[in-house]
Amino acid sequence: MRSEIIAVGSEMLTPHRQDTNSLFLTEKLNELGVTVAFKTIVGDRRKDLVNAFRTALGRVDIVVLMGGLGPTEDDLTREAVAETLSLKLRRDGTQVAALAARAATWRMPMPDNNLKQADVIEGATVIPNVNGSAPGQWLDITHDGFRKLIMLVPGPPSECKPLFESEVMPRLREVVPVRYLAKRTLKAAMIPESQADKLLAPTYTTYTDVETTILAHNGDIQLELHCVKKDQEQAQQRVDELASKLEELLEDWLYSSDGETLEQIVLYYLGLRQATLAVAESCTGGLVAERITGVPGSSRSFLGGAVVYSNALKTHFADVPAELIEQHGAVSEQVARALAEGIRKRTGATIGLSVTGIAGPTGATETKPVGLVYIAVSDAQKTEVLERTFRGPRTRVREWTAQQALDLVRRRLMQLETVHIS
């Protein structure tokens, strides 16, 4: 079955508020084997709500309308649904009493406009909302010859999520055909999205029963594999079969077969090799360390490091000779190499990682453009320096650089068989 989530509220069409409930609702619907085919955000205008709801009825089996159930003039979800279905609204006495009791509990007079929250669409079942004043509503109807399940749920997350979990999900389980969703998430680092798709599409397009989505963000490729079947084992078998083939194609670009982050994988390899890591960061300003320390238990393998933004601190914390910086510049292969080796020796870490570059928008020269970075990884056996130029604004350069740095460490750890400390 296919579904659509309609988030109602003009505030979500501004830069100041975003819809967060739909991620939760998607997860819950997927648990039942229901695919979320569309997500729509619509403002508090009755005509627009009617059009959005009418469109949803024509293309999916289940429609979840979220928000617009409050007492104000711009809360119009009930009215729009009733208009679209040519149904009447009735004022429910039980809900009126519940609203009055709630107001009495708060020892506040109840304004007359609160009563609109007791308006129920003809034929709808009221869904209790123990965390708020606006109840939800459930409709199981036939529209243009097809069965449609429609649910109206409140917008505030503290009301939407518990109501959907405790009241809507049991109702859906009773009427939705038993289907099972199997999922896998593969992740690869630093392979361009177009290259990944060219490499993988000839394989994943042959699995027409598995939905494959490729997501790309700052040097990270995420492949989402979804398969819905009547049997859980069969669905999982199809997903795992495809995942295995994609893993082979991705080779060493692949870093995770089960959704882990790159920093989690780096820490996994550090633990496996009984190795430790220290960092000396310049243009990333501690971003690499922040990602690593965001993983619980990282202190077992991550010793720490330094943000060596100034030339003086490059010398002070990582023993980079001042004359080396003067001769080659802070952004250079030579300084990156010295930083990685210096921080490794100063901390006693198995591996030293360094980053130096020009994140922009200023600081470029004729020979060193904005986005030029040098990343070095050093252990007792060798030091490797990678030169890259990342395009885009300052934030993007820093994030791509941190991703590349972590991936360089991952690749070194994959090659490291024994621990050498010097």
Side-chain angles (χ1 to χ4, degrees):
M1 298 184 77
R2 286 155 51 92
S3 66
E4 179 165 349
I5 299 169
I6 301 177
V8 181
S10 296
E11 69 277 5
M12 288 181 289
L13 296 171
T14 72
H16 312 298
R17 189 75 64 85
Q18 61 181 350
D19 164 33
T20 57
N21 289 332
S22 63
L23 297 175
F24 169 82
L25 297 178
T26 299
E27 180 182 6
K28 291 299 166 184
L29 290 166
N30 285 170
E31 286 179 8
L32 302 175
V34 175
T35 300
V36 176
F38 303 95
K39 292 182 181 180
T40 302
I41 297 177
V42 59
D44 299 309
R45 186 168 178 260
R46 184 162 172 166
K47 183 179 179 180
D48 294 337
L49 281 166
V50 168
N51 288 335
F53 180 50
R54 183 178 290 119
T55 299
L57 284 175
R59 61 189 184 186
V60 297
D61 311 293
I62 298 172
V63 183
V64 182
L65 295 108
M66 176 180 59
L69 300 179
T72 63
E73 289 294 324
D74 61 354
D75 288 313
L76 298 169
T77 300
R78 290 172 292 254
E79 291 79 359
V81 171
E83 178 183 335
T84 306
L85 299 176
S86 300
L87 297 173
K88 295 180 180 179
L89 287 169
R90 61 177 177 82
R91 187 145 292 176
D92 186 276
T94 302
Q95 293 307 311
V96 171
L99 287 168
R102 181 180 176 86
T105 300
W106 287 86
R107 300 189 178 186
M108 295 175 60
M110 183 177 69
D112 291 342
N113 62 352
N114 271 72
L115 291 174
K116 72 177 292 186
Q117 294 179 108
D119 290 345
V120 179
I121 301 167
E122 183 182 2
T125 300
V126 174
I127 305 175
N129 178 10
V130 298
N131 297 296
S133 58
Q137 299 189 36
W138 168 281
L139 285 143
D140 186 343
I141 64 169
T142 300
H143 180 75
D144 289 343
F146 295 95
R147 186 183 188 183
K148 305 290 179 178
L149 301 176
I150 303 157
M151 50 225 69
L152 286 63
V153 298
S158 60
E159 300 176 34
C160 173
K161 294 179 180 180
L163 180 144
F164 199 87
E165 180 77 72
S166 63
E167 298 291 340
V168 176
M169 286 292 284
R171 288 175 168 84
L172 284 170
R173 288 191 181 97
E174 290 180 0
V175 296
V176 171
V178 178
R179 305 283 282 176
Y180 296 93
L181 174 69
K183 297 189 291 186
R184 282 283 296 277
T185 299
L186 308 182
K187 292 186 177 183
M190 305 310 298
I191 177 175
E193 182 182 14
S194 57
Q195 184 177 347
D197 192 56
K198 182 178 180 180
L199 179 69
L200 304 176
T203 298
Y204 74 69
T205 53
T206 65
Y207 283 72
T208 56
D209 56 341
V210 181
E211 181 181 346
T212 301
T213 304
I214 299 181
L215 307 172
H217 179 70
N218 291 338
D220 198 65
I221 293 290
Q222 184 169 310
L223 291 100
E224 296 286 350
L225 312 181
H226 293 182
C227 182
V228 176
K229 297 283 186 184
K230 293 182 179 180
D231 179 81
Q232 180 69 59
E233 185 177 347
Q234 184 184 11
Q236 194 64 56
Q237 185 272 329
R238 289 293 288 170
V239 166
D240 290 344
E241 181 181 308
L242 175 57
S244 178
K245 293 181 178 181
L246 298 182
E247 288 169 1
E248 289 184 13
L249 292 169
L250 286 168
E251 298 180 329
D252 57 0
W253 278 304
L254 180 81
Y255 70 81
S256 170
S257 296
D258 210 18
E260 299 94 342
T261 63
L262 182 54
E263 48 268 33
Q264 285 178 308
I265 295 300
V266 166
L267 286 164
Y268 166 77
Y269 276 117
L270 285 167
L272 187 67
R273 304 288 193 250
Q274 295 183 315
T276 55
L277 174 68
V279 300
E281 299 183 64
S282 182
C283 66
T284 46
L287 185 56
V288 175
E290 191 277 332
R291 285 181 58 174
I292 293 173
T293 56
V295 180
S298 56
S299 60
R300 289 191 291 268
S301 302
F302 183 62
L303 300 185
V307 177
V308 287
Y309 220 58
S310 72
N311 291 344
L313 290 189
K314 289 178 175 64
T315 299
H316 182 72
F317 287 122
D319 296 330
V320 179
E323 56 271 21
L324 189 70
I325 300 174
E326 184 177 352
Q327 180 181 358
H328 299 284
V331 179
S332 63
E333 176 184 347
Q334 293 82 358
V335 169
R337 181 183 300 275
L339 280 170
E341 294 173 351
I343 200 67
R344 175 176 64 84
K345 294 174 181 177
R346 284 291 296 269
T347 61
T350 314
I351 292 178
L353 169 69
S354 73
V355 176
T356 182
I358 305 170
T362 60
T365 68
E366 290 185 5
T367 57
K368 296 181 180 180
V370 168
L372 175 66
V373 297
Y374 292 93
I375 304 164
V377 173
S378 174
D379 59 31
Q381 297 170 304
K382 65 177 180 179
T383 300
E384 176 185 3
V385 183
L386 182 66
E387 177 187 331
R388 295 294 301 271
T389 301
F390 297 117
R391 305 300 181 186
R394 182 179 182 85
T395 299
R396 185 178 187 274
V397 171
R398 284 159 48 90
E399 290 178 349
W400 273 82
T401 302
Q403 179 80 355
Q404 181 71 82
L406 286 167
D407 190 54
L408 201 61
V409 174
R410 174 186 71 91
R411 289 171 179 270
R412 174 61 61 87
L413 285 165
M414 290 173 64
Q415 302 167 0
L416 195 63
E417 295 183 359
T418 57
V419 175
H420 298 273
I421 300 176
S422 63

